[in-house]
Structure formats: structure tokens, C-alpha cells
Amino acid sequence: MVRFSVLEQPLDPFPRYEEMRRSEPVFLDEESGLWHVFCYDDVQRVLSEHAAFSSRMGGSNPSETGQLFAASLVNTDPPRHRQLRSLVTQAFTPRSVEALGPRILAITDELLDPAVGTGSMDLIEDLAYPLPVIVIAELMGIPAEDRDRFKQWSDAIVAYTRPDAEPAGHGGAHQEMAEYFLGMIEQRRRRPGEDLISLLLAAEIDGQKLSVAELLGFCALLLVAGNETTTNLIGNAVLCFTEAPGTLARLVAEPELLPTAIEEVLRYRSPVQSMYRIAAVDTTLRDRQIPADAPLVAWIGSANRDAEHFPAADTFDVERSPNRHLAFGQGIHFCLGAPLARLEARIALEAVVSRLPGLAVAPEAQLERMDSTIVYGLKELPVCWQP
């Protein structure tokens, strides 16, 4: 075997992960030159040890190269990473996130109200996609008429399987996003507001403003991370809840279980299945020698099914505790937006569970995964209930 792929069974990659954990937990794909890492301890190490496994990526001018994320938090190492992260931490403190709760609830109700009496909807299109897009667009001060472009861009950007293989539309989405955000940045320079873009424009690190590349990186990261993770968390949760017998009835009877159930969704069907790193130095994983500058894929979706850390790992358990999943990453790159994603998911799922009795996946549904091995989510999720 010289190649690893989960594309044969994209909705159920987990048996393939298990096979790799057992047979080749640290695997070199000779065709692409990518190293793949599958076991929990190794994935945790790759995500945590930034001195050995760097987040850097190429590209110095995002507006020209399409490498929008090159100067963003997710692809920056210390000490610059620490400086950049400190700028946006204030926008995502527990208090500031909780303050968004009433608005998130209002948006959820606005989206659900038209559907409740009909008995059916596409949960992705009608709720899971628009909710986080509206929230992040409002935080960034983006006009409502531009929200649909957000989803098109972020879908195109997550739909690639490895750094050296970009599908059609990926570069175009980067370019369109760069041009759009350059225009928004220029607007905010002239007329600052209370939004995140204005906050970043005003911010300084050691007396210096952010570069244009860093501003673009922040905007792109907030857009993609701000909607893709939450959209797929909500959709994956409904799929998990409807699959596991008795789970929905239990959550209706014991709504206090919902936060624990959401953590189990994050483990069982992680919205982000993998993360890329570059070996910063010659290093070793298990008995394999990883040369400096080698690219690696840390398979979060596999780590979260590792039976050495999760008893009955292939069973969805709404009471699982402890649940030290890696769905939001680890170490300095732990997802800054995790509290917001959890809050949006909890509010949306509370409404779904309480307002849609007898919820089930529509019998005729043909479920398809998004075109990405990095992100795990459904293109559509037709559901029905008793109106």
C-alpha cells in the first residue's frame, strides 16, 4: 500500500481509520509525500508541539497568491501567533460570547418559525447553514445581502484534500474573498464601526498596526471557521441524535444532558477531521523518522475514535465522561471560536429537540458528505417530524 484515502466511504471513514491505527499508525504516502498520523497520542503531540510541528504555510502576499490563510492565526507560529491571538481573544471571552445568546436564540427562532408547522425541512439549508453565517456576518459588520457569497467561498475553500491538490474554484474563491475583504477593510478605514474588522484595524502590536496580509488572514479565518464548524456540528448532531435509538426522547426528557451530548458529537463525528502541519525539525513519531520540512496530516477524526482513550469508541454515548476529544485542536492553536460554536449549537439544538417532536431523517434522504476530507458534514439533511 502506498496511498491512504478515506474517499471510498466518505460518510463512514471510521473503519478505515481503525485499520490504519492498527496497521500503520504513522504512515508515509509515497505518492504525495504526506505523512499521516492516526492514533490519539500522536495526533495530540503533532497538534501540541509547535516547536517540532509547525503551522506555517507558504505565500507572502495573500491578495496576489491566493494564500489567504498564510498570515492567519491557524498558520502562524510563536511568537507572532501569541501576539495575533491576543488581539482577538477579547472578542471571544466567555462573557462576550454569552452576551450573544439572546441574538442567537432570536435568529434560531426566525429560521425555525416558518418550518415548524410544515413537518419537514432541509436542516442544513434552513437552519444549520444560515445561523452561524448570520452570526459571524453581524460580528464582522458584513451586509446581509453578501451572506450567500460567504457560504460559496467557504465551501470552495474547505473542498480540498491535500495542500498540493486544489480543485477547480478554490483559487477563485481565495481571490474573490481577498478582493471583497480588501474593499471592506478600506471602508472601515474611512468609517470605523463597532465590528471585528474595525477592531482589528485599530489594534496595535508593539506600536505597529496589522499588515494587510494579517488583516486578510483574520477575515478569511473568521469567515470559514465561523460558519463551517458550527454548521457541521449542528448537522452532525441531528444525524447522531436520530441514529442512536432513544437519544432524542432522552434529550427531550433531560435537556440538561445536551451539553454533554454536544461534546460526544464533537468526538464521534468531528466537524474538522484533519489538520496539516510541517515538521520544523528532524523528529520521530513512534518508530518512524520524520525529516524536517515534511508535511503531515493529523487525523483528528481517527484520534477521537481511538479505543485506548475512549471505551466503546464506536458507540455514541450522550453521557460519556470524561471526553477529552481533540475536535477543537490542542495547545496554542486550540480553536478560539470553540465557546461560540458550542453556544450556537446548544441554542439551535435545544430549539430543534423541543420544537420538532418525532424528529427523524426523511425516509427518502440520500445523504452525501461535503466534498472535503478535512471537514465532515452533510450537503443536505432532509428531516421530518410531527407538525
Side-chain angles (χ1 to χ4, degrees):
M1 185 201 327
V2 295
R3 187 148 190 83
F4 167 75
S5 176
V6 295
L7 297 177
E8 296 89 347
Q9 295 291 334
L11 270 177
D12 189 16
F14 306 104
R16 187 77 172 100
Y17 294 155
E18 182 180 11
E19 177 189 337
M20 297 304 292
R21 287 195 302 272
R22 186 175 58 251
S23 63
E24 297 194 67
V26 179
F27 170 69
L28 173 61
D29 183 328
E30 295 171 3
E31 184 177 331
S32 68
L34 279 170
W35 290 84
H36 295 265
V37 183
F38 295 96
C39 292
Y40 183 100
D41 290 337
D42 301 323
V43 169
Q44 184 181 48
R45 185 181 159 210
V46 169
L47 296 179
S48 302
E49 296 184 9
H50 58 82
F53 303 101
S54 170
S55 299
R56 72 179 188 269
M57 63 185 288
S60 59
N61 189 337
S63 62
E64 291 182 4
T65 67
Q67 295 287 355
L68 259 178
F69 296 91
S72 76
L73 272 172
V74 75
N75 291 310
T76 309
D77 292 329
R80 191 59 173 173
H81 173 272
R82 194 175 302 112
Q83 295 171 325
L84 292 173
R85 188 175 176 106
S86 69
L87 289 181
V88 287
T89 297
Q90 58 188 298
F92 292 98
T93 62
R95 179 177 295 181
S96 60
V97 169
E98 280 297 324
L100 297 171
R103 178 59 184 146
I104 294 169
L105 178 58
I107 297 168
T108 299
D109 287 338
E110 289 169 15
L111 294 169
L112 277 182
D113 284 348
V116 168
T118 69
S120 66
M121 69 174 176
D122 178 349
L123 190 110
I124 302 295
E125 181 179 354
D126 297 333
L127 177 65
Y129 146 58
L131 172 62
V133 168
I134 293 170
V135 171
I136 201 66
E138 290 185 355
L139 282 173
M140 297 177 73
I142 301 300
E145 59 268 24
D146 292 339
R147 290 173 191 157
D148 285 344
R149 299 168 72 183
F150 270 34
K151 183 60 174 172
Q152 294 165 9
W153 291 333
S154 57
D155 280 355
I157 284 164
V158 301
Y160 66 93
T161 59
R162 62 182 194 272
D164 58 337
E166 295 185 356
H170 181 264
H174 270 248
Q175 188 64 32
E176 288 178 21
M177 280 177 64
E179 292 171 359
Y180 180 84
F181 283 126
L182 283 170
M184 290 299 300
I185 289 165
E186 191 53 40
Q187 283 183 29
R188 294 301 189 276
R189 283 193 205 280
R190 295 194 303 266
R191 293 188 300 277
E194 300 296 320
D195 54 273
L196 277 174
I197 295 177
S198 297
L199 180 146
L200 292 171
L201 268 169
E204 293 185 357
I205 299 175
D206 297 332
Q208 291 188 325
K209 300 283 190 182
L210 294 176
S211 69
V212 171
E214 288 168 338
L215 284 166
L216 285 172
F218 266 125
C219 290
L221 181 61
L222 288 166
L223 163 62
V224 176
N227 78 72
E228 288 292 346
T229 300
T230 307
T231 291
N232 295 318
L233 174 54
I234 294 169
N236 293 351
V238 171
L239 183 59
C240 291
F241 296 169
T242 54
E243 271 183 347
T247 297
L248 274 169
R250 182 133 188 234
L251 291 172
V252 170
E254 303 174 69
E256 66 276 7
L257 278 178
L258 189 55
T260 308
I262 289 170
E263 296 307 306
E264 180 68 341
V265 175
L266 285 162
R267 181 197 72 84
Y268 189 80
R269 277 197 175 94
S270 307
V272 176
Q273 289 283 296
S274 62
M275 289 294 291
Y276 290 103
R277 292 290 187 266
I278 300 289
V281 294
D282 292 342
T283 190
T284 303
L285 276 173
R286 296 191 180 246
D287 58 347
R288 304 301 302 271
Q289 299 295 316
I290 314 290
D293 296 323
L296 302 95
V297 183
W299 287 94
I300 292 170
S302 173
N304 285 341
R305 294 288 190 107
D306 190 334
E308 289 192 13
H309 286 263
F310 303 100
D314 290 327
T315 299
F316 183 81
D317 179 4
V318 293
E319 288 189 278
R320 186 178 295 275
S321 182
N323 190 347
R324 298 186 181 92
H325 62 74
L326 302 176
F328 286 122
Q330 189 79 1
I332 65 167
H333 287 286
F334 184 82
C335 178
L336 192 66
L340 179 58
R342 286 179 166 123
L343 179 66
E344 289 181 272
R346 177 174 60 77
I347 290 172
L349 292 167
E350 279 175 352
V352 165
V353 167
S354 63
R355 299 187 66 185
L356 309 181
L359 182 68
V361 176
E364 73 280 2
Q366 299 290 319
L367 301 183
E368 287 185 67
R369 182 173 164 180
M370 289 177 60
D371 297 322
S372 174
T373 58
I374 294 174
V375 169
Y376 187 106
L378 301 172
K379 293 181 179 179
E380 301 173 338
L381 183 55
V383 294
C384 54
W385 62 91
Q386 299 157 8

